Amino acid sequence: MKGNFYDNERVALFIDGANLYSAARALGFDIDYRRLLKVFREKGRLVRAYYYTALVEDQEYSPIRPLIDWLDYNGYTMVTKPTKEFTDAMGRRKIKGNMDIELAIDVLEMAEHLDHVILFSGDGDFRRLVEAVQRKGLRVSVVSTIKSSPPMVADELRRQADDFIELSELVPLIARNPSERAARTAVPASNGPGDADDFSGDAPAEHLMRSA
């Protein structure tokens, strides 16, 4: 994996859930979030791993809930909020669940406790945030992809970052094993979300959380 890391630096992950899911799907793979955490724990002193996603509150069952519960029990700090429903000018029902503000606030509040921010997003709106954090003396790496069509990372964000980590190059390290997925489908889990082995970290419905 390309990118500059130092053994003793304090690192935190800030994962824009919907954006990362879209990038992974554009590259044709599912993320194993246990493996992802392991990769970055080996790169420095991992202080925190934040995962941001919005939820549709009035659904009887949210297909993303198993992922959220698993992450919450297995080393991630979950940041969620309810989506907002509105009707656009064409009369179409839309659901909005933007987590940019929450992510930006957490990055700025955590800055004094970190040396290196790893931002999992290609959203160009974060360029100004990256610049602000760099002025505080931190390094920022952006994880996204330019290998998809179209590319998932905004050019201005990529240029602002200290390092750009191409998501496709992480596939051998963080991809979910398809055979493992088939086995889990065939054998239903029975131990609940507290069992780290009952859910390897696929994101079955992050695309529903895309901002309108």
Side-chain angles (χ1 to χ4, degrees):
M1 180 182 71
K2 293 181 180 179
N4 295 312
F5 293 88
Y6 304 100
D7 290 341
N8 293 321
E9 69 178 355
R10 300 166 298 173
V11 176
L13 314 183
F14 296 86
I15 301 172
D16 178 345
N19 195 286
L20 177 60
Y21 174 82
S22 296
R25 277 301 162 96
L27 294 172
F29 79 101
D30 291 323
I31 295 172
D32 184 328
Y33 286 91
R34 186 201 313 278
R35 297 183 71 192
L36 186 151
L37 205 60
K38 181 176 183 292
V39 166
F40 287 93
R41 277 176 172 159
E42 293 173 351
K43 294 296 181 181
R45 294 164 52 199
L46 186 62
V47 175
R48 197 76 77 225
Y50 291 94
Y51 187 98
Y52 300 82
T53 191
L55 291 171
V56 180
E57 283 198 324
D58 59 355
Q59 284 185 338
E60 183 175 340
Y61 170 75
S62 171
I64 198 177
R65 176 55 68 180
L67 170 63
I68 291 172
D69 289 341
W70 187 92
L71 293 173
D72 213 10
Y73 277 99
N74 288 276
Y76 289 84
T77 299
M78 301 305 300
V79 182
T80 65
K81 73 176 181 183
T83 57
K84 293 183 179 180
E85 184 178 331
F86 66 97
T87 303
D88 67 12
M90 301 296 292
R92 294 171 298 192
R93 176 176 173 268
K94 296 280 189 177
I95 294 177
K96 185 173 185 179
N98 194 303
M99 300 293 294
D100 291 3
I101 294 298
E102 287 78 7
L103 189 154
I105 289 173
D106 286 344
V107 171
L108 291 172
E109 287 186 343
M110 285 293 294
E112 64 181 288
H113 306 292
L114 303 173
D115 303 303
H116 194 167
V117 168
I118 314 294
L119 175 62
F120 288 78
S121 181
D123 190 339
D125 289 344
F126 288 128
R127 188 209 67 80
R128 188 73 175 83
L129 170 65
V130 172
E131 182 184 29
V133 171
Q134 289 169 332
R135 287 202 303 268
K136 293 178 178 290
L138 280 70
R139 294 189 304 115
V140 180
S141 293
V142 166
V143 183
S144 189
T145 183
I146 60 171
K147 302 296 186 181
S148 59
S149 182
M152 297 294 294
V153 62
D155 186 58
E156 62 269 25
L157 178 65
R158 185 183 174 198
R159 283 187 281 116
Q160 185 66 50
D162 294 285
D163 284 300
F164 173 69
I165 299 173
E166 170 56 52
L167 184 61
S168 64
E169 296 178 4
L170 290 179
V171 171
L173 302 175
I174 68 171
R176 186 175 182 180
N177 188 325
S179 61
E180 178 183 73
R181 181 177 184 178
R184 293 181 190 280
T185 302
V187 183
S190 59
N191 296 326
D195 181 0
D197 292 327
D198 70 357
F199 195 80
S200 67
D202 188 19
E206 275 288 8
H207 65 284
L208 298 177
M209 302 299 114
R210 291 293 303 273
S211 300

